[in-house]
Amino acid sequence: MGNNERRVALVTGASRGIGRAIAKRLASDGHHVVLVARDQSRLDEVLSEIEADGGVGESRACDLGDPASLEAMMESVLSDRGRLDVLVNNAGINRDGLILRMSDEDFDEVLAVNLRATFITCRAVARSMMRGRWGRIINISSVTGLVGNPGQANYAAAKAGMVGMTKTLAKELGSKGITANVVAPGFIETDMTEAMSSEILAEAAKRLPLRRLGRPEEIAHAVAYLASEDAGYVTGQVLTVDGGMVC
Ligand code: NAP
């Protein structure tokens, strides 16, 4: 890769929270970042912040729950940019409820956005990465996918599914210079955790070895490492960034 050629990194769920921090970090590390989420105006705000810091990128509004739009968006990015080098599947939703009360719709929606969209984006980038004989796939799962959590059967199934899929991709694509890894966050301060009561969060933080919630930037550091040249011999791994919750 020539000095003037930037690697292209696509980050889903880049309009807020962890995805926003990942996109900003990859931009500051020199990537051209493609920001994906539904809310175009919030994506454009993040893009402006990136550009103000001297970074480059573009935004693409897309509903990851709609496979046809997602495939069309991926095709359009690949044809406009010519390739994708780094893929970060970060967008995620939860629709919590105990199993007896969980509806089919809540199960399907969580699986569609968190797991099926990850499958579609990975399939879409595989050929381009294989052609370039270099690629980094980083899927953002959750500690819930590793140990389960009451009220999150749908979310845990999707997040555990991401782990199995990523390990499979590591095995399928490794010979082409492509790595695939998972980052599994614990409690991170974002809109997703803001929806929980502050007492529950404070209680959860007290039980952690590091005694505090994590920051989105702390997930971005892990992603930046896995996206880097330095992580070229790391594949099929789950990097848990959770203040010691699962250890
Ligand atoms: P967040 O603040 O709720 O942000 C979610 C992001 O996903 C937003 O950018 C949202 O953008 C996007 N998104 C949601 N549904 C989408 C859809 N249908 N199509 C396209 N984009 C969609 O979440 P977060 O806390 O940053 O979490 C990011 C990831 O980390 C998720 O996968 C989550 O499961 C995982 N995680 C978070 C925590 C935590 O404590 N925060 C812990 C473990 C794992 P729009 O609304 O604009 O579409």
Side-chain angles (χ1 to χ4, degrees), residues 13 15-16 18 38-39 63-64 90 141 155 159 186 188 190:
S15 58
R16 292 184 269 128
I18 294 171
R38 286 165 303 181
D39 187 335
D63 181 354
L64 301 187
N90 161 81
S141 173
Y155 185 79
K159 294 300 190 181
I188 309 299
T190 68

Side-chain angles (χ1 to χ4, degrees), residues 139 163 166-167 170 180-183 226 233-240:
N139 292 328
V163 174
T166 308
K167 286 175 181 278
N181 291 288
V182 165
V183 174
L226 291 170
Y233 202 54
V234 178
T235 196
Q237 301 305 302
V238 179
L239 177 52
T240 305

Side-chain angles (χ1 to χ4, degrees), residues 118-130:
T118 297
F119 161 67
I120 291 173
T121 58
C122 289
R123 184 177 57 188
V125 298
R127 183 164 289 115
S128 149
M129 288 181 177
M130 284 163 87

